[in-house]
Amino acid sequence: QVQLVESGGGSVQGGGSLRLSCVASGIIYSISSMGWYRQAPGEQRELVAVATKAGTTNYADSVKGRFAISRDDAKKTVYLQMNSLKPEDTAVYYCKAEGTYRDIALGFPSGFTSWGQGTRVTVSS
């Protein structure tokens, strides 16, 4: 199994910044994409930003110009730098990763899609 652990959430005033981190663990051969999603109370989970192994990134329109995603493949870590935070950014932020890993039970590489447990971000006005 591949596990993801997020950190860096918290409370901040509008206009402030936070940096989220997500570390993947397990016998991982490659991570094709790592990204961040968020879910506000009563809302659907939505894509915030994603970074592929090829180096492409994609952002939700609502965060373009304010958030920046980056990944360190050597550390199996993805970051989300969030600047100029707004109250509407308040949500639980989840890390998601897809790739291949060694499935010990099967004994050969297998694909995975894993989610972190979520980290809460609260932005006050």
Side-chain angles (χ1 to χ4, degrees), residues 17-107:
S17 298
L18 285 173
R19 188 190 194 210
L20 305 183
S21 300
C22 171
V23 182
S25 63
I27 306 174
I28 300 170
Y29 293 125
S30 68
I31 302 177
S32 56
S33 71
M34 296 188 84
W36 293 93
Y37 292 71
R38 67 186 180 188
Q39 187 166 19
E43 301 290 334
Q44 300 265 18
R45 190 174 296 188
E46 64 175 2
L47 171 71
V48 177
V50 64
T52 69
K53 187 177 178 64
T56 60
T57 57
N58 189 34
Y59 295 91
D61 288 342
S62 59
V63 307
K64 284 180 181 176
R66 300 188 297 122
F67 291 11
I69 188 170
S70 60
R71 49 186 283 176
D72 183 334
D73 288 342
K75 295 181 179 179
K76 299 184 179 63
T77 300
V78 64
Y79 305 96
L80 184 68
Q81 178 65 44
M82 305 186 294
N83 299 325
S84 302
L85 282 161
K86 304 175 181 179
E88 50 264 43
D89 294 318
T90 295
V92 177
Y93 284 70
Y94 297 91
C95 176
K96 178 185 178 183
E98 297 177 304
T100 57
Y101 79 115
R102 180 173 175 81
D103 187 322
I104 295 177
L106 295 176

